[in-house]
Structure formats: C-alpha cells, structure tokens
C-alpha cells in the first residue's frame, strides 16, 4: 500500500508540475485531471492514465532509482512494469 501511495504522489507531481510554467490551472481542473487518471488506472487503461502527463520528449520521471526521459519511454515503462491488472493494483 505504501508503494501505491508513493506512486500516486509521484503521479500527482508529474501531472501538475508541467502545467505550472504555461498556465496557472484552477483547482477544479487539477482535481478533474487526477480523478480521470485514477479512473483510467483502475480500469487498466495505461494510455488513458498517461493523458495526465505532458506528452513531450522533455518529460522526466524518476521512480525506484530509475530515470525515464520522454513521454514514449515513460509509457513503455508503465506498460512493462504494470503488464497485468494484479500488478497495477487500485488507486484511490
């Protein structure tokens, strides 16, 4: 459960931080984005979940001592790491 909480925190930061330089999102927009990500994750839709990330080669994600650069590399990492519903668990 601790790993899932850490994962959610990292996802939250990764989803929100890229928005800050371009625009100041309102709280409801951020809540909707996170809610949409949770729903996508819980139905096993990794690509839907990834819509919360900045689709750019400049996206950087760090987890478990591993660094992923670029949206496509991050998407591939998620698909490899969470290749079954059991591994994905459930986000709340």
């Amino acid at each position: 459960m601790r790993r899932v909480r850490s994962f959610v925190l990292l996802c939250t930061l990764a989803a929100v931080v890229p928005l800050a330089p371009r625009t100041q999102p309102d709280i409801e927009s951020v809540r909707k984005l996170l809610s949409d990500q949770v729903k996508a994750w819980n139905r096993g839709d990794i690509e839907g979940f990834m819509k919360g990330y900045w689709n750019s080669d400049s996206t950087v994600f760090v987890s478990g001592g591993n660094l992923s650069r670029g949206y496509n590399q991050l998407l591939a990492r998620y698909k490899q790491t969470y290749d079954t519903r059991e591994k994905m668990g459930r986000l709340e």
Side-chain angles (χ1 to χ4, degrees):
M1 185 54 93
R2 183 175 178 190
R3 185 175 175 175
V4 171
R5 285 187 188 137
S6 296
F7 176 75
V8 170
L9 176 60
L10 286 172
C11 292
T12 301
L13 292 173
V16 175
V17 170
L19 296 175
R22 293 181 282 158
T23 146
Q24 205 53 275
D26 64 89
I27 288 179
E28 289 307 312
S29 295
V30 172
R31 285 185 177 147
K32 180 177 181 341
L33 179 134
L34 294 174
S35 175
D36 290 348
Q37 280 190 294
V38 168
K39 289 174 187 173
W41 187 266
N42 288 337
R43 69 176 178 266
D45 179 6
I46 292 175
E47 290 183 9
F49 172 80
M50 287 291 296
K51 289 181 181 178
Y53 285 90
W54 185 28
N55 189 344
S56 169
D57 290 337
S58 297
T59 298
V60 176
F61 184 82
V62 179
S63 175
N66 297 310
L67 176 77
S68 298
R69 292 186 182 274
Y71 181 91
N72 292 326
Q73 184 179 2
L74 180 55
L75 176 60
R77 175 185 159 85
Y78 273 123
K79 286 182 174 185
Q80 180 181 11
T81 303
Y82 301 101
D83 58 344
T84 67
R85 291 292 294 129
E86 291 76 26
K87 287 182 184 177
M88 290 180 78
R90 179 166 175 76
L91 293 183
E92 295 180 345

